[in-house]
Amino acid sequence: MEILAFGVQADEQPLIERAFRGHHEVRCLDVFLNEDTAPIAAGYECLSTSVNAELGARVLEVLSAGGTRMIAQRSTGFNNIDLKAAERLGMTVARVSYYSPYSVAEFAWTLAMAVNRRIVRASTRTRDFDFRLDGLMGRDMHGRTAGVLGTGKIGEAFTRIAHGFGMRLLGWDVAENPVCMELGMKYVPKEQLLAESDLVTLHVPLMPQTQHLIDADALKSMKDDAILVNSSRGGLIDTAALVAELREGRFTGVGLDVYEAEAGLFYVDRSLEAIEDDTLARLVTFPNVLVSSHQAYYTEDAVGQIIDATVKNVLDYKTGRRSENVLVPRS
């Protein structure tokens, strides 16, 4: 059986080809799966997709008509997949339920420290041989308060680093993490966490109940000099409301690895095109905002684990086994 993999980055391709070697043939495409590209999959029983794939009911119907029976998504998140439609069509869907939490947690800290210590501005200046310190003053993290929204594996890894900085730790989640509590974390209501934290970081999944978890009211409740980091899902933040607050001169820094309308933008070179997304265009103009292209997970360790899990998901499908990665089982 030949697997068709959509949205494969250049760094990923040799890893994917090597992982599938000896099991199945794999064809890698750099285009993302959407309604326009879905016909390419005709004749392929099994597909591997990226987090930016558009797998709504219409796309799934096209895939099903072309003979696709299994989708192995190379990500933990699956809010881009219409699972009910997949079940109705008799399609098996699997994802990667676990990969290195350190990749995302460490990158979240990279964003936090970059905006705190004005690293991008400093780097741009020194390239022009401007070595002034004006406007580059940051703050110690030691002794300040870190608010962690979502204390699962990634939130726990972030908390361990915050503990190493000597920070006061506040947490919010549906369930308390005993490891975080041993590190000194106090669980509080979201409103208290936002009001008291100098650094707020998001590590929760995107679901209907977490859509715009950080809305206009939440943003207004935060400290004027707070740092906000999102390395989870773009839809957790109301970006238009965030832009409105930034225009008022609020927040020491904002680090975003995700954006709620990133589909069709991220992972693609748009440097020679006019960006029609006015919200994103305005967002990147603020000197205290750093936007990266959904790369927090992108380490050799994490990507290797994601690919290995994807191979296992395909093999499980072929042999009829079922694991914790299966979202829609084989009918």
Side-chain angles (χ1 to χ4, degrees):
M1 182 176 69
E2 186 177 28
I3 315 300
L4 183 61
F6 282 90
V8 176
Q9 304 297 313
D11 296 334
E12 288 180 290
Q13 183 165 343
L15 300 177
I16 291 176
E17 291 174 342
R18 184 165 60 246
F20 272 103
R21 192 172 299 139
H23 300 292
H24 296 287
E25 296 295 320
V26 60
R27 177 188 175 196
C28 294
L29 303 179
D30 59 1
V31 298
F32 297 103
L33 179 57
N34 53 40
E35 193 164 346
D36 293 330
T37 60
I40 299 173
Y44 287 90
E45 180 181 351
C46 183
L47 307 181
S48 176
T49 59
S50 68
V51 70
N52 268 15
E54 298 176 13
L55 289 163
R58 175 57 187 153
V59 171
L60 291 174
E61 288 167 359
V62 172
L63 297 177
S64 179
T68 298
R69 294 294 174 262
M70 194 271 178
I71 295 172
Q73 178 143 294
R74 303 187 307 278
S75 73
T76 299
F78 54 90
N79 55 285
N80 60 317
I81 308 173
D82 188 332
L83 299 181
K84 291 183 178 180
E87 183 176 16
R88 172 173 53 83
L89 293 166
M91 303 175 76
T92 301
V93 180
R95 52 117 179 210
V96 177
S97 59
Y98 175 85
Y99 61 85
S100 169
Y102 308 106
S103 60
V104 180
E106 291 171 6
F107 194 83
W109 265 109
T110 300
L111 290 175
M113 295 307 295
V115 296
N116 177 40
R117 302 306 299 269
R118 322 295 186 188
I119 298 300
V120 175
R121 183 184 299 178
S123 177
T124 301
R125 282 187 184 178
T126 55
R127 285 178 179 271
D128 293 331
F129 299 98
D130 178 353
F131 299 103
R132 293 173 299 158
L133 297 182
D134 297 347
L136 301 183
M137 184 175 288
R139 298 181 297 176
D140 290 359
M141 289 289 102
H142 178 83
R144 288 191 160 81
T145 300
V148 184
L149 292 163
T151 56
K153 292 182 176 65
I154 297 172
E156 178 187 317
F158 186 96
T159 300
R160 289 181 183 275
I161 299 171
H163 179 261
F165 272 105
M167 301 186 75
R168 175 185 176 226
L169 304 171
L170 297 180
W172 175 86
D173 207 328
V174 294
E176 297 179 350
N177 184 327
V179 174
C180 293
M181 295 177 72
E182 288 176 7
L183 294 170
M185 174 172 281
K186 178 183 179 182
Y187 280 85
V188 297
K190 184 184 73 170
E191 294 75 17
Q192 181 180 346
L193 182 149
L194 294 174
E196 297 183 10
S197 296
D198 301 291
L199 166 61
V200 174
T201 182
L202 307 180
H203 301 292
V204 300
L206 181 61
M207 302 179 290
Q209 55 267 43
T210 60
Q211 178 75 25
H212 287 179
L213 180 70
I214 304 299
D215 57 13
D217 289 339
L219 291 164
K220 290 183 184 300
S221 71
M222 293 173 60
K223 294 182 177 181
D224 288 342
D225 60 355
I227 293 171
L228 174 62
V229 173
N230 186 11
S231 56
S232 186
R233 288 291 182 268
L236 297 175
I237 296 179
D238 183 339
T239 314
L242 175 61
V243 168
E245 294 301 309
L246 289 165
R247 291 181 64 182
E248 296 296 321
R250 301 190 64 226
F251 305 132
T252 288
V254 175
L256 304 175
D257 186 50
V258 288
Y259 173 62
E260 61 180 324
E262 69 183 54
L265 286 173
F266 282 19
Y267 304 146
V268 178
D269 182 3
R270 302 288 188 185
S271 60
L272 300 180
E273 303 175 20
I275 297 298
E276 298 178 358
D277 189 324
D278 292 337
T279 302
L280 179 61
R282 183 70 179 94
L283 188 64
V284 299
T285 64
F286 292 104
N288 57 335
V289 174
L290 174 56
V291 178
S292 53
S293 52
H294 205 148
Q295 68 184 80
Y297 78 98
Y298 207 56
T299 66
E300 292 180 3
D301 310 81
V303 172
Q305 292 168 3
I306 289 168
I307 292 171
D308 288 345
T310 301
V311 173
K312 182 179 182 300
N313 287 341
V314 173
L315 296 178
D316 285 349
Y317 162 76
K318 290 300 293 182
T319 57
R321 293 191 301 265
R322 182 174 176 179
S323 74
E324 70 280 0
N325 290 340
V326 176
L327 299 170
V328 180
R330 186 170 185 172
S331 56

